Amino acid sequence: MTVKQYDMIEFSVGGAPLCAEFWQDEKRVRAESFLKAAGEYAVRFMPDALGEWHYRTGEKEGSFECVPDEGVHGRVQAKGTHFSYEDGTPFYPFGTTCYAWTSQEDALVEETLFTLKTAPFNKIRMCIFPKHMPYNHNEPPYFPFEKDEKGEWDMEKPDFRYWDRLDRCLSALREMNIEADIILFHPYDRWGFSRLGMEKNLQYLRYAVARLSAYRNVWWSLANEYEMVTALSLGDWDTIGSFIAGKDAYHHLIGVHDWVCPFPKKKWLTHASIQSGEVRRVAAWKKEYGIPVIIDEFGYEGDLPFGWGNLSAFEFMDRAWSIAAVGGYATHGETFHREDEVLWWAKGGKLYGKAPERFAYLKSVIEEAGALDPVSALPKDPNGNDWNDWVRKLVEGFPAREQWQVELCFAEFCGRNEGHRILYLGRQCARYFELALPEKGEYRVEVIDIWEMTRRTALEAAHGKVRVELTAKEGMALLVTRLSGENL
Amino acid sequence: MTVKQYDMIEFSVGGAPLCAEFWQDEKRVRAESFLKAAGEYAVRFMPDALGEWHYRTGEKEGSFECVPDEGVHGRVQAKGTHFSYEDGTPFYPFGTTCYAWTSQEDALVEETLFTLKTAPFNKIRMCIFPKHMPYNHNEPPYFPFEKDEKGEWDMEKPDFRYWDRLDRCLSALREMNIEADIILFHPYDRWGFSRLGMEKNLQYLRYAVARLSAYRNVWWSLANEYEMVTALSLGDWDTIGSFIAGKDAYHHLIGVHDWVCPFPKKKWLTHASIQSGEVRRVAAWKKEYGIPVIIDEFGYEGDLPFGWGNLSAFEFMDRAWSIAAVGGYATHGETFHREDEVLWWAKGGKLYGKAPERFAYLKSVIEEAGALDPVSALPKDPNGNDWNDWVRKLVEGFPAREQWQVELCFAEFCGRNEGHRILYLGRQCARYFELALPEKGEYRVEVIDIWEMTRRTALEAAHGKVRVELTAKEGMALLVTRLSGENL
């Protein structure tokens, strides 16, 4: 028997729950079983090392060979403030949002998968539980669990139709190299899943981890808008995070998406998953968290009567570039009103906006430039002097709020690594711009029009203080590439 | 002898300084003389009450008749968080910025006055001292003072050519009903006026008040970017403010323009003069200060390589509407690069931008709607419940910064008075919008396109919860007018 590396192997283990073991040399992985069908338990495992693996499921023992799978890079892991696959290949998340796509009818699920095939997204935010909200009035075809005789959700009774379907969705995403950022709880609920009580919460999580963690493309998002799930306290979230971290043998990424107050740092938190349109804070968050920062909701392209869902495509891309330029990661969403209420953001289906192709273009630029770190920039003296020190001293005397305001109002969308620098000028309509490049080296300066998706070389083999001619237009970015000499 | 009400009368008082007195019934005004020409002192007075006035200048006594002047409304005064003229006529400041226009050559000064004749501005921010900065490299034709033998500025030696010219400028502005917001100090200086020392500062101020305060259209702005004037402490500014308030018998308006930290409340401070592009804070500032708030610098329309001077006309107007909708006041500025360095913002001349006509349109809407007060709006439950109370409680548990962030991220650009309500939707591209009007009454809802400067009636005689169809475009404002029934 052979299994591809990072693929999933599943064993039926009979009518009683058990805990299986998988091992190779010193490495030993325990896997809890889950109820796969009526009276049938199963165990799943994802081998991450090549060669022979042994297993024991109850009384049975056996072994299989783990073989390479070309083009498969393993799980995504956090690495500093960025991500990479297990084999070291960088991963730059350019995700999208389809909260309730796995709670729609089959035809729509298929359409969503079809759309994802040609879309630029490599991550998708998706809920386990169905969603109640404007434009989300339909009942799901299946719920994750059935009810008991008292009419209460019974976590001992998974609805296999729901979970089998979710398996198909996760496999399909895995084939497309799309990470499934699985949202475990959320407040937009008319059925009671947001107030099950902690005992049922943990039962549910145990099932989800046992069933889903052997997918290499799974991420755990404890919540969408954790503050809004009023039945759970910060302590409860910590319990849930620790529970998942303890149960998940594969150490998948764990985030918690907020409503307005970013979730505090925790041992088990692998990345910040932030809702905020305040893109000027991204550099500060990177510094504060020291882990990757994904702005998992900064507003959606659309035309709804809600501020979170009616950004123009330009505003959407302006924010996405602002986030990406400082080495943060931006997540897509689309909310165009439709009479049939099939909006991408919740149900999937088709994309209608102008942002996706431009999001793909941004992705290609970041893939070329590589992982960026913010360049901190205090205001410059318009008379040309270096005021940083006295500005710092001056600002220390301000009230706390205003100190912070300085941070925001002088935020620049500028990031760097050894070989590249990106400065996104946002809504600034500059006719020209001055850059200070290193003196010792040669650098190419390209001007990118984020809307037209064009780039032109403004300067070749430049160094030192240079002037770049622009066209007094919003949405311009400068991409500097080191050709030789000092790092950027 | 007759003098028009709120006009200026001037007496030559000979070769020695003196203090004159003007009185009518119980009212008594003292006026210090100032050196008007070599060896010649003068005294100025502005009568604010009709009828006979008496005066004593040294040995001489006399009287004159103060007569009405049609269309003249007196000084502008602060009234709550708004402004009005002395006769009660409301004044809505729609100012502009020409920092150094009175320090340019005569032809350019004339051109600026010509431009102002047809421009929409009713206030102008202007410095006494010349300005040093990018695009401001020329020497002024005259300085306000001459130097002594040691090469130091001598406040006993005003350069009459400078002040006579300033008089002509102030008179011309007065004729055009433009308030002169006179900036007394600023940091952009290569000549030493920003570090004269307090003794010379007060000598200069004494001269300025004696000479200029009888213009009804004068406002005092102690500084442009007070924090940047590093020679002066907060205590010094308080001394200066108290000094002016004590010397100026006419109690002209006094503001202090900041760099990033709004000047703290003081007894003598009549309005907040704030530099900030953070227009979401305007409503909070109105509440905090309890006096009028003018965003005297929120970025200029232009194309310079500086974030403060390269807003698109749309971005400029978006900010102006955001400020105006909550009953704040927005000040114009224009900074288009020119090889001759004659930029409106500093030197005057001609206007080139697309903002002024749209600024005029906004002015006409505010003049129609009247003085607005912000409508505070906490986030609404997207499921339709009233979450305000629990949101408030939830937010109280957040760290201080995030509490503030809630304030900012849910800021709405919405203001009201008894008969009108304006909701500016900013960059939101809503296809429709829902409004809650009073149940008891009839209200007209108009949709304004701030860029096209058009308005159409969306609903006539509406009340209660209504839906307004929009066109999914940025820059839309809703103007609600009460036709009958309850106040808005």
Side-chain angles (χ1 to χ4, degrees), chain B residues 197-302:
Chain B
M198 273 305 263
E199 195 186 331
K200 286 189 180 183
N201 286 342
L202 298 184
Q203 267 183 296
Y204 148 60
L205 293 175
R206 190 168 193 150
Y207 187 84
V209 172
R211 179 150 191 154
L212 307 179
S213 61
Y215 286 95
R216 67 170 176 266
N217 59 324
V218 158
W219 299 22
W220 306 114
S221 177
L222 303 198
N224 195 60
E225 301 188 344
Y226 77 91
E227 310 101 301
M228 288 281 185
V229 184
T230 51
L232 296 177
S233 66
L234 269 181
D236 292 332
W237 292 115
D238 198 17
T239 303
I240 289 170
S242 304
F243 182 85
I244 302 258
K247 287 280 172 201
D248 171 12
Y250 303 97
H251 307 301
H252 290 293
L253 294 164
I254 305 181
V256 191
H257 170 275
D258 64 280
W259 171 58
V260 286
C261 184
F263 197 81
K265 283 176 82 163
K266 296 284 170 192
K267 253 190 186 167
W268 46 261
L269 194 78
T270 57
H271 61 284
S273 164
I274 293 177
Q275 170 166 193
S276 179
E278 190 50 275
V279 294
R280 296 175 300 178
R281 295 184 67 183
V282 175
W285 276 320
K286 284 195 64 164
K287 198 171 165 190
E288 185 184 330
Y289 277 91
I291 51 179
V293 171
I294 309 184
I295 307 302
D296 262 326
E297 198 179 334
F298 58 84
Y300 306 126
E301 184 190 4

Side-chain angles (χ1 to χ4, degrees), chain A residues 278 280-281 310 402 429, chain B residues 278 280-281 310 402 429:
Chain A
E278 189 50 276
R280 295 175 301 178
R281 295 183 68 183
N310 57 23
E402 303 310 326
C429 297
Chain B
E278 190 50 275
R280 296 175 300 178
R281 295 184 67 183
N310 57 23
E402 304 309 327
C429 297

Side-chain angles (χ1 to χ4, degrees), chain A residues 99 124-130 144-145 155 162-163 166 170 180-189 192-196 200-213 218-226 229 232 236-237 239-245 247-248 252-257 268 273:
Chain A
Y99 288 118
I124 186 166
R125 300 184 63 232
M126 50 191 273
C127 300
I128 299 276
F129 293 125
F145 298 95
M155 311 337 255
Y162 177 88
W163 294 94
L166 185 59
L170 292 175
D181 196 1
I182 296 178
I183 298 167
L184 296 165
F185 296 99
H186 69 265
Y188 296 96
D189 173 37
F193 295 113
S194 63
R195 39 180 197 278
L196 294 167
K200 287 189 178 180
N201 285 342
L202 298 183
Q203 267 184 296
Y204 149 59
L205 293 175
R206 191 168 191 152
Y207 188 84
V209 171
R211 178 149 193 156
L212 307 179
S213 61
V218 158
W219 300 23
W220 306 114
S221 177
L222 303 198
N224 195 59
E225 301 188 346
Y226 76 91
V229 184
L232 296 177
D236 292 331
W237 291 116
T239 302
I240 289 170
S242 303
F243 182 85
I244 301 258
K247 286 280 172 202
D248 172 13
H252 289 293
L253 294 163
I254 305 180
V256 190
H257 171 274
W268 46 261
S273 164

Side-chain angles (χ1 to χ4, degrees), chain A residues 416-435:
Chain A
R416 61 162 291 286
N417 56 36
E418 294 183 356
H420 291 91
R421 185 179 281 243
I422 290 182
L423 172 63
Y424 175 56
L425 293 174
R427 292 201 171 269
Q428 293 191 56
C429 297
R431 187 180 156 129
Y432 63 95
F433 211 83
E434 280 164 0
L435 279 184

Side-chain angles (χ1 to χ4, degrees), chain B residues 304-428:
Chain B
L304 300 192
F306 313 111
W308 49 261
N310 57 23
L311 303 186
S312 70
F314 185 85
E315 175 72 21
F316 180 91
M317 288 311 306
D318 178 62
R319 296 186 186 188
W321 271 87
S322 302
I323 293 163
V326 295
Y329 297 100
T331 301
H332 169 266
E334 186 182 291
T335 47
F336 284 104
H337 170 89
R338 288 176 55 85
E339 289 299 320
D340 67 5
E341 300 207 331
V342 180
L343 278 58
W344 176 262
W345 132 90
K347 299 184 182 170
K350 288 195 186 77
L351 288 162
Y352 301 90
K354 291 175 180 163
E357 59 172 320
R358 293 171 172 88
F359 200 60
Y361 182 75
L362 168 57
K363 189 181 171 206
S364 73
V365 172
I366 295 299
E367 282 168 352
E368 176 183 336
L372 299 167
D373 286 314
V375 178
S376 80
L378 266 180
K380 286 140 200 123
D381 173 355
N383 288 330
N385 308 308
D386 180 10
W387 279 2
N388 282 4
D389 282 343
W390 84 254
V391 164
R392 209 171 281 123
K393 209 177 145 195
L394 176 70
V395 169
E396 279 170 16
F398 290 171
R401 258 193 195 196
E402 304 309 327
Q403 286 190 27
W404 190 37
Q405 195 60 30
V406 175
E407 210 179 295
L408 288 186
C409 76
F410 294 104
E412 283 192 343
F413 303 115
C414 185
R416 60 162 293 284
N417 56 37
E418 295 183 354
H420 291 91
R421 187 179 280 244
I422 291 183
L423 173 62
Y424 176 56
L425 293 174
R427 292 201 171 268
Q428 293 190 58

